[in-house]
């Protein structure tokens, strides 16, 4: 990151700096230590999210209560593990930008330090929850060719600030919707509900920082990085969404792993969640002036289920728990 302010499509540098300064002030006032906030031993022993929130919702499977309880714990643990790793990637990218910045007094640097601190607290909270959930699933995608490709790409992405920020938006918007669905559902375990609320509260500032800085980062990005945002990002984000719950989760409860995983990701119920979760990322890109209505790239249209103007295509099934899509 350079500290030299650059002209941006929608936000003047001064306004962006002021807004970021206010985010830092809010972070100082709300330092929340998860170890002090939560009683980890209070997590219930059985099903931690309702039937409606299981990713298998659209598959018409006849699962007994014990299997559903196990599946719920494995699914939540898999998502938390993904969150821990994703936040580590974000922290790496931000740390690199701080190391290479020209002016350490830029308010963006201070805010990134706040965000890194908050993410490390989230990671500690998620680790404690994973310990309590005691998952047994092994991720078959965390080895072999897939793992090598993922590692290679992550090490490249953290060096591309604009592209990384689009992925940060995805890594924050997608869990935000999933955690909103869980925190508002009556069948969610009370501890999990409270951790979700705590996380969403802090992530709202991170989303604000991402939306504020994306225009200036994109303004400084080279042609190749811009092409990646346009054509490569929707593929990566689609993959990110599909692997939040990996095939090993289904195998761990006696279902055919890859077959169930593919069926889940093709189900109308899961596709509707993906559309809803990713439309806010696209909205940020439109607001930043990166895409124009009427000329949204095909990959983004497919990812978000929208037309070339960004309007939702008809046909999505309702989200679980009667959550208002427009408000989500
Ligand atoms: Fe977080
Ligand atoms: Fe975050």
């Amino acid at each position: 990151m350079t500290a030299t302010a650059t002209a941006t499509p929608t936000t003047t540098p001064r306004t962006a700096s002021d807004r970021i300064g206010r985010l830092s002030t809010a972070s100082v006032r709300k330092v929340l230590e998860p170890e002090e906030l939560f009683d980890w031993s209070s997590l219930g022993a059985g099903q931690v999210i309702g039937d409606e929130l299981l990713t298998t919702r659209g598959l018409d499977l006849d699962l007994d209560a014990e299997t559903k309880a196990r599946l719920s714990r494995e699914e939540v643990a898999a998502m938390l593990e993904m969150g821990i790793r994703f936040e580590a990637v974000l922290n790496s990218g931000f740390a690199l930008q701080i190391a290479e910045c020209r002016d350490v007094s830029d308010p963006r640097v201070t805010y990134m330090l706040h965000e890194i601190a908050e993410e490390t607290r989230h990671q500690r909270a998620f680790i404690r929850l994973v310990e309590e959930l005691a998952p047994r699933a092994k991720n078959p995608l965390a080895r072999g060719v897939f793992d090598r490709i993922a590692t290679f790409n992550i090490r490249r992405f953290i060096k591309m600030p604009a592209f990384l920020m689009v992925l940060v938006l995805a890594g924050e918007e997608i869990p935000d919707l999933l955690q909103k669905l869980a925190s508002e559902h009556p069948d969610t375990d009370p501890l999990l509900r409270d951790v979700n609320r705590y996380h969403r509260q802090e992530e709202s500032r991170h989303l604000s920082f991402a939306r504020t800085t994306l225009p200036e980062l994109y303004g400084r990005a080279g042609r190749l990085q811009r092409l990646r945002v346009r054509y490569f990002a929707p593929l990566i984000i689609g993959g990110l969404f599909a692997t939040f719950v990996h095939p090993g989760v289904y195998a761990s409860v006696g279902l055919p792993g890859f077959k169930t995983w593919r069926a889940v990701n093709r189900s109308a119920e899961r596709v509707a969640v993906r559309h809803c979760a990713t439309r806010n990322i696209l909205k940020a890109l439109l607001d930043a002036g990166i895409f124009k209505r009427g000329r949204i790239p095909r990959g983004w249209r497919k990812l978000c289920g929208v037309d070339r103007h960004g309007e939702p295509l008809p046909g999505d099934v309702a989200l679980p728990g009667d959550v208002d899509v427009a408000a989500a």
Side-chain angles (χ1 to χ4, degrees):
M1 192 192 87
T2 63
T4 312
T6 311
T8 66
T10 57
T11 314
T12 64
R14 188 169 186 85
T15 306
S17 292
D18 290 348
R19 194 177 303 150
I20 291 163
R22 285 198 294 276
L23 291 173
S24 288
T25 304
S27 287
V28 170
R29 287 190 185 138
K30 294 176 186 165
V31 177
L32 301 171
E33 296 291 349
E35 291 83 354
E36 294 169 4
L37 281 178
F38 304 111
D39 173 9
W40 305 106
S41 64
S42 68
L43 187 78
Q47 191 164 339
V48 291
I49 51 173
D51 292 3
E52 276 192 302
L53 295 184
L54 294 173
T55 57
T56 52
R57 177 170 82 111
L59 299 193
D60 202 22
L61 299 175
D62 186 18
L63 304 176
D64 61 35
E66 194 182 328
T67 304
K68 282 192 287 190
R70 191 72 241 155
L71 181 60
S72 75
R73 299 176 84 86
E74 294 287 350
E75 287 198 3
V76 171
M79 288 188 273
L80 291 169
E81 284 191 37
M82 172 75 102
I84 293 162
R85 293 177 206 286
F86 184 85
E87 293 187 342
V89 173
L90 178 152
N91 289 348
S92 306
F94 279 11
L96 188 62
Q97 289 177 43
I98 293 167
E100 294 178 349
C101 75
R102 292 182 199 161
D103 176 8
V104 290
S105 64
D106 187 313
R108 291 155 187 76
V109 172
T110 301
Y111 186 73
M112 282 194 281
L113 290 168
H114 281 298
E115 185 161 331
I116 290 170
E118 286 164 3
E119 298 296 18
T120 60
R121 288 193 282 271
H122 303 166
Q123 289 165 300
R124 296 201 318 264
F126 294 170
I127 288 168
R128 282 299 290 116
L129 265 182
V130 169
E131 285 173 346
E132 295 297 329
L133 290 162
R136 298 178 206 141
K138 296 274 175 283
N139 184 355
L141 304 175
R143 59 175 186 253
V145 176
F146 187 90
D147 188 52
R148 284 201 291 279
I149 292 171
T151 303
F152 174 76
N153 277 313
I154 286 167
R155 290 176 184 184
R156 289 169 72 217
F157 296 162
I158 61 173
K159 297 173 191 161
M160 304 174 196
F163 188 76
L164 179 71
M165 197 52 92
V166 175
L167 298 188
V168 166
L169 273 168
E172 290 174 344
E173 290 285 6
I174 295 169
D176 187 67
L177 177 64
L178 299 175
Q179 292 187 326
K180 177 185 170 71
L181 295 173
S183 63
E184 293 181 1
H185 199 282
D187 295 341
T188 299
D189 179 274
L191 174 66
L192 183 61
R193 181 196 60 214
D194 292 347
V195 173
N196 283 343
R197 284 182 182 160
Y198 147 78
H199 189 240
R200 290 190 71 221
Q201 175 190 332
E202 302 218 322
E203 288 297 323
S204 66
R205 294 197 293 277
H206 301 181
L207 281 165
S208 183
F209 179 70
R211 291 182 195 124
T212 302
T213 54
L214 183 60
E216 54 196 33
L217 292 173
Y218 192 79
R220 287 197 292 271
R223 188 167 172 271
L224 202 55
Q225 200 177 161
R226 290 179 179 215
L227 286 172
R228 285 192 176 108
V229 168
R230 185 165 277 273
Y231 300 111
F232 193 38
L235 295 175
I236 297 292
I237 296 168
L240 184 73
F241 183 86
T243 51
F244 259 98
V245 176
H246 58 77
V249 164
Y250 307 110
S252 74
V253 297
L255 294 166
F258 276 94
K259 190 176 166 202
T260 309
W261 180 66
R262 278 193 292 270
V264 161
N265 283 297
R266 280 198 293 256
S267 70
E269 287 74 6
R270 198 66 183 153
V271 168
V273 174
R274 190 190 77 215
H275 286 168
C276 186
T278 54
R279 279 173 193 157
N280 278 341
I281 311 166
L282 179 61
K283 182 175 182 307
L285 295 172
L286 288 164
D287 290 346
I290 292 171
F291 297 149
K292 291 195 175 19
R293 292 191 186 276
R295 298 182 63 187
I296 294 172
R298 191 171 168 193
W300 281 98
R301 298 198 312 258
K302 193 167 171 224
L303 175 74
C304 308
V306 297
D307 64 17
R308 57 182 68 243
H309 298 277
E311 295 303 319
L313 295 169
D316 274 351
V317 300
L319 293 185
D322 289 332
V323 164
D324 179 3
V325 175

